[in-house]
Structure formats: structure tokens, C-alpha cells
Amino acid sequence: GMSLPFLVRGLVEERSDAPRTIGLLYGANALGASAGAFLTPWVLVRFLGVTGAILTGAAGSAIAGIGALLLSRRALDSMASPAPADAPEAAPPSEGTDEAPQPLERWVWLYALSGFVSLSLEVVWFRVLDVTAKGGAFAFGTLLAVYLLGLSTGTFAAARRAASIRRPLEVFLTCQIGVVVVTV
């Protein structure tokens, strides 16, 4: 859960780049989670068993951690070298929205409610899929993979336009209405 804030801190140099960078990072994370949710029941558990799947996941986490440490050392080394004298100055950050800023507490509650509704819908979809698949062992992993694939696809699409959104609260609430309409 802490990888996204750390990556954002390390990768976002200018405020204007933040929406796109955060969206791309979140989308990539959800896409990887979707692949993992799909591959675990269909490939890893099927061919390696539960223990083999767990060991494969642990090895993947270790490889990712070691890779991140190596990349961070390379980044530190490149930051130590002096910047060219003719580097352009960064533009001052612009507000970029047409609505008044909302308090963080309101966004936290809206985001929490959104997560609650989304995961509740996932439980309902799982129950329907589980009955349809007659309790098949692959139902949950498949449903979770589809759910996360949809999440990552939407995130990638939104990340491309995030910086141009002038009314973020209105867009957020419209997306929540869209979730209800698609579900119905």
C-alpha cells in the first residue's frame, strides 16, 4: 500500500505532471494485479500447487524489491552528476480547475464510500458468478482479474485527460453514477 506514495514522491517533479504520473502508476499497478489474479488460479495453482504459487509470488516480490533498490541506486548516481547549465526553468504550477478546492476530509469520505460501493458490487458479482459457475475453483480469480482489468483500463484512460479536468468533483461524482448505471 505504501509503494504508490513512494513512487509518486520519487517520480513527480512538477505539480502539473502529477495527475498523469499518478494515474499511470495506479493503472500499471492494477494491471499487474489483474494479471496476478488471473494467472494464480489458471496457471500457478493449477501447475505448481498452492505452495508453488506462494513461493512464486514471494520470489516475484523479492525480485521486484531488489530491482527497485538497484534502480534507486542508479537514480541516485545520476542525480549526483551536475545538471547542464542551459536547463530550462520549471513553469510555476497552475491551479487548473474551475471549482473551489474541497476539504481533504470530504474527498476522503467520498473516496472511502466509492471503494465500499465498488467492493460491495464485486462481492455481489462474485456471488452471481459463483452460482453460475457452480462453485468452480477459478471463479474468484477470474472475477477479480476482470474487475482489476476494468479498473486499470479506466485509470489509463482517465490519466491521459486528468490534467485537463477543470471540475474534478463533478467528474468524480459522474463516474460514480456511471458505475451504478453500468451495474444496473
Side-chain angles (χ1 to χ4, degrees), residues 36-63:
F38 184 78
L39 291 174
T40 298
W42 289 97
V43 176
L44 296 178
V45 172
R46 187 177 203 173
F47 296 111
L48 303 176
V50 173
T51 302
I54 290 170
L55 291 174
T56 301
S61 292
I63 290 168

Side-chain angles (χ1 to χ4, degrees), residues 53-174:
I54 290 170
L55 291 174
T56 301
S61 292
I63 290 168
I66 291 167
L69 288 173
L70 293 173
L71 288 174
S72 70
R73 284 187 168 226
R74 287 180 69 188
L76 286 174
D77 291 342
S78 68
M79 288 171 46
S81 61
D86 60 342
E89 289 187 27
S94 62
E95 289 302 316
T97 65
D98 293 338
E99 30 179 67
Q102 302 295 319
L104 177 63
E105 183 177 295
R106 181 173 294 163
W107 281 107
V108 168
W109 281 108
L110 283 170
Y111 198 64
L113 180 62
S114 170
F116 174 78
V117 170
S118 294
L119 289 178
S120 297
L121 288 171
E122 182 185 349
V123 170
V124 170
W125 293 333
F126 173 69
R127 297 286 182 210
V128 170
L129 182 64
D130 194 44
V131 168
T132 305
K134 297 180 173 94
F138 302 109
F140 179 73
T142 303
L143 174 70
L144 184 58
V146 169
Y147 176 84
L148 291 169
L149 181 62
L151 178 67
S152 67
T153 302
T155 303
F156 282 133
R160 295 181 62 183
R161 302 194 64 228
S164 65
I165 294 173
R166 297 285 181 227
R167 302 183 60 80
L169 182 60
E170 184 178 304
V171 171
F172 178 80
L173 295 174
T174 302

Side-chain angles (χ1 to χ4, degrees), residues 8-32:
V8 168
R9 178 76 170 126
L11 294 175
V12 174
E13 294 178 8
E14 294 185 34
R15 186 176 179 192
S16 61
D17 296 337
R20 186 170 192 274
T21 302
I22 293 169
L24 291 174
L25 288 170
Y26 191 81
N29 185 276
L31 186 60

